[in-house]
Amino acid sequence: MSTQKGMAEWGYELFMERYRERRCGLAREGDAGKGVLPGGFEPCLVTLFRLLASRDEDGAREPVPLWRLRALARTGHLARAAELAFTISDEPKQGQALLALVEEAAGAGDLHGAQALVDSIRVRDCHDRALVALVPAWARAGGLDRALALAERVRYPHNWSITWALLAKALADTGDFRGALDFADRAAGSATSRVLTLLLDVATAAGDHVRAGDLVDRLEDLARLQGPDARGHERGGPRPLTAILVPEVGRGDLDRLDALLRRPGTSPLYPAVMVDVLEAAAETAEADVALALAERTQTLLDACGPTSWHADDLRTAAALMLARHGHVEWAMAFADAMNAPHRRAGWQAEIVGELARGGDTGRAETLAHAITDRRARARALIAVVEELARRGETDRAQALTRAITDLWARGHALVPVVEELARRGETERAEALADTIAFRETRDRALYVVAELAAPSDARRLAARLAALGGWYGITGLLEQLAPQGVTAVTDALTACPVTE
C-alpha cells in the first residue's frame, strides 16, 4: 500500500525515476573523475571510450543493438552500420534494422547512401516502408523527379495513399502548393485518419477551403464509423475528430463541438477526444475559450455519468487546463469530484505545476507549501523550481530547492537550474552546483546536461569524466556530438572483444 500511495503522490514518471536513481546509491565523495582528461583533447576522448568499451564483455556478448546502428548512421558511418546489420541472421529483424538505417541516413541528409541501401532490403514490407520514408526526404531536398520515381516503385496498395500524401505535404512545406494539391489528388481515395489529416494540412496551407471542408466532413464521418476509442488512436495520426476539433478550438471556434454535444446518442465525441481537446487547449487556447471548454466538459460528464470509468480522465484534463489559465478554485473543484480520493494530493501537485507553467509562480509556490503530504509537496515544489529555472530566475529557483526535504527530490529539482546556468554559459557554476547533488545517477544526469551545452573543451572533459565514472554506455549521445568517430571506435572495440562462455 505504501508503494501505491507513493506512486499516487509522486506521479508515475517521477516515482519510477526516483526509485531507479535511489537504487544506484549516493555519489562518491572526492569525485576522481574530475582529472581524467586534462587539456580536453578529442583524440584522448576517443581512446578513453575505446578502452572502456574493450573491457565491456557484456556488451560484446549481445548482438549489436539497433540504437548503436542508428548512431553509426547518424554520425556518417552508414557503411559500417549496414555491415553490422547484415550480420543479423533473423531476416525480419535484419529488414527492420536496415529500414531504421535508411530512415536515419535520410534524416541526416545522406539521401544517396539511404537509397543505395534500400535495394538491399529483402523483407518486402520493410523495403516498401523504406521507399515511403525516402519519398518526402527527396522532395524536401529538391529532388522531385527522384522522389516521384521512388513513389512509383512502392509495391503494396496500402502504402500508396500515404506515399502520395507525404509527398504532397513535403511540397506544401516547401511552398509548392500547386504540386502539393496535384499529388494530394492521388491520395484522395484513402479512408485512414493519418492520410486525411495530412491532406487537410495541405489543403489548409494551400488555401483551398472547399477541399479542406470536404476533408473535415470525411474525417467526421470516419470518426463516427470507427466508434469509441478511449485508449489510443490510429498509428501515426490523431483520432479523426481530434484532428478537426483541436485547430477549430485553437481559433476559438466551438460551433462543431457544440453541435456534437447536442446529439450525444449518435455523436462521435467520445471522452478520449474531449481529453485531446482539453490538453491542446491548455497550451494554445485563450482564457475565455478555456472557461467555455470547462463548462462543456461538465456537460459531457453529465451525459456520460459522473462515475463512469473515463470521467476522471475528463476531470483531470479540465483541471489542468483551468490551472494553466489561473483558475485554481475551479480546477480544485474538478479534482475534488474525482472518483479516487486517495490521489487527491497528487492532483493538487499537478494543479500547482500547471499554475506555475501558466506563469503564476508566486501563487504556485504558496499553494505548494500548503500541501500537507510531503511527497506531493515535493512534487509541486519541483514543478515550481522547473518553471522558475526556465524563466531564468535561477537564484530564486535554487533557493526554493532548500524547502524540499526529500534528498533525491532536492537533487532532481536542481537539474533544471543547472541546465539554465549552463545555457547561459556559466559552465563552472553549473558544474559546481551539479556536484552538490547527492545521488550518483541524478548528479550524472545534471553533468550530462552541462556537457551538452558547454564549449567543446569543457564538453569533452565532462564526457570523459562521466565515462570514467559510469562507463561509456550512458553517454553515447554526447559521443555522437563531440567525437563522431568515437561511435565507430566503441563498436569496433566491442565487436573485437573475445566472447567467453
Side-chain angles (χ1 to χ4, degrees):
M1 181 65 186
S2 61
T3 299
Q4 292 177 345
K5 181 173 175 59
M7 188 175 292
E9 310 307 331
W10 285 113
Y12 177 78
E13 291 183 4
L14 207 59
F15 177 88
M16 295 306 297
E17 191 164 30
R18 180 176 183 271
Y19 175 77
R20 180 180 60 80
E21 291 189 350
R22 280 168 54 90
R23 284 190 66 187
C24 293
L26 297 170
R28 294 199 304 252
E29 293 296 330
D31 189 345
K34 290 183 179 180
V36 70
L37 193 65
F41 293 106
E42 185 174 305
C44 297
L45 182 58
V46 174
T47 301
L48 174 63
F49 272 79
R50 183 183 289 113
L51 289 171
L52 290 169
S54 67
R55 301 169 189 164
D56 186 0
E57 291 188 1
D58 289 335
R61 283 193 180 90
E62 299 297 327
V64 180
L66 185 57
W67 64 263
R68 203 184 310 148
L69 295 179
R70 286 182 176 274
L72 285 166
R74 280 195 301 271
T75 53
H77 304 290
L78 182 60
R80 177 67 169 134
E83 175 189 337
L84 291 168
F86 285 125
T87 66
I88 300 173
S89 57
D90 182 281
E91 191 170 85
K93 290 182 179 179
Q94 183 190 99
Q96 290 289 340
L98 291 171
L99 169 61
L101 294 184
V102 169
E103 292 171 343
E104 289 292 348
D110 185 4
L111 298 180
H112 291 284
Q115 185 169 336
L117 196 55
V118 168
D119 290 332
S120 67
I121 302 177
R122 294 192 294 269
V123 180
R124 288 179 175 177
D125 179 60
C126 292
H127 180 270
D128 237 34
R129 288 163 60 192
L131 290 172
V132 173
L134 271 180
V135 166
W138 272 113
R140 286 192 172 88
L144 181 56
D145 290 342
R146 196 180 294 264
L148 186 57
L150 290 172
E152 297 287 358
R153 290 174 53 194
V154 174
R155 177 188 185 95
Y156 293 114
H158 65 267
N159 286 327
W160 292 346
S161 292
I162 188 59
T163 303
W164 297 121
L166 287 169
L167 180 54
K169 182 67 166 63
L171 290 179
D173 290 343
T174 63
D176 181 1
F177 297 122
R178 178 174 295 180
L181 292 175
D182 286 343
F183 288 118
D185 288 337
R186 301 199 189 190
S190 173
T192 69
S193 62
R194 184 185 179 196
V195 171
L196 294 177
T197 302
L198 283 168
L199 297 183
L200 177 57
D201 288 343
V202 170
T204 302
D208 189 336
H209 303 298
V210 173
R211 186 189 298 252
D214 176 65
L215 288 163
V216 164
D217 291 340
R218 290 179 63 190
L219 279 165
E220 186 172 336
D221 291 341
L222 182 60
R224 195 170 283 107
L225 286 171
Q226 284 186 346
D229 177 8
R231 284 177 36 180
H233 49 75
E234 182 182 341
R235 187 182 70 179
R239 298 177 179 91
L241 206 55
T242 297
I244 302 171
L245 289 174
V246 166
E248 291 183 347
V249 170
R251 297 191 298 268
D253 181 359
L254 303 182
D255 290 346
R256 189 185 306 273
L257 180 63
D258 287 340
L260 292 166
L261 284 168
R262 282 194 293 270
R263 44 180 177 147
T266 59
S267 173
L269 181 61
Y270 304 108
V273 174
M274 192 63 173
V275 169
D276 290 342
V277 172
L278 293 170
E279 289 176 347
E283 300 287 343
T284 61
E286 298 293 333
D288 59 335
V289 175
L291 291 172
L293 286 173
E295 293 173 352
R296 286 154 176 78
T297 301
Q298 190 58 57
T299 299
L300 188 56
L301 280 167
D302 293 341
C304 66
T307 60
S308 60
W309 65 271
H310 46 246
D312 278 355
D313 291 338
L314 283 168
R315 293 189 183 103
T316 299
L320 297 182
M321 176 196 66
L322 287 166
R324 176 69 70 92
H325 290 278
H327 299 288
V328 176
E329 292 76 13
W330 199 357
M332 289 293 188
F334 270 110
D336 288 343
M338 292 182 188
N339 296 319
H342 68 280
R343 293 181 55 197
R344 187 172 186 276
W347 285 321
Q348 288 178 331
E350 286 193 65
I351 288 170
V352 167
E354 288 302 314
L355 180 63
R357 283 183 278 275
D360 194 347
T361 55
R363 188 155 58 130
E365 181 179 345
T366 300
L367 290 172
H369 286 300
I371 296 175
T372 55
D373 183 275
R374 61 181 177 80
R375 290 167 289 204
R377 182 170 61 250
R379 179 182 176 187
L381 288 170
I382 287 170
V384 179
V385 169
E386 287 174 345
E387 184 58 28
L388 288 172
R390 191 185 70 82
R391 292 171 179 268
E393 299 182 54
T394 52
D395 290 339
R396 183 180 162 199
Q398 185 176 345
L400 187 55
T401 62
R402 301 187 190 106
I404 301 174
T405 56
D406 182 272
L407 190 59
W408 174 84
R410 187 185 306 154
H412 176 80
L414 283 172
V415 175
V417 184
V418 168
E419 180 176 2
E420 179 57 27
L421 291 172
R423 195 184 309 281
R424 296 198 314 224
E426 299 182 49
T427 304
E428 186 175 342
R429 183 182 169 193
E431 186 177 354
L433 186 58
D435 283 333
T436 68
I437 295 174
F439 284 92
R440 180 175 66 82
E441 285 288 307
T442 318
R443 181 185 294 187
D444 286 356
R445 180 155 53 90
L447 290 171
Y448 188 105
V449 168
V450 180
E452 283 188 305
L453 296 169
S457 59
D458 281 328
R460 287 193 287 268
R461 175 180 56 79
L462 286 164
R465 179 183 170 192
L466 287 165
L469 292 171
W472 63 271
Y473 181 87
I475 54 174
T476 52
L478 282 177
L479 194 59
E480 288 184 48
Q481 174 184 326
L482 300 171
Q485 66 271 38
V487 179
T488 306
V490 166
T491 301
D492 289 344
L494 285 172
T495 53
C497 285
V499 179
T500 58
E501 296 297 335

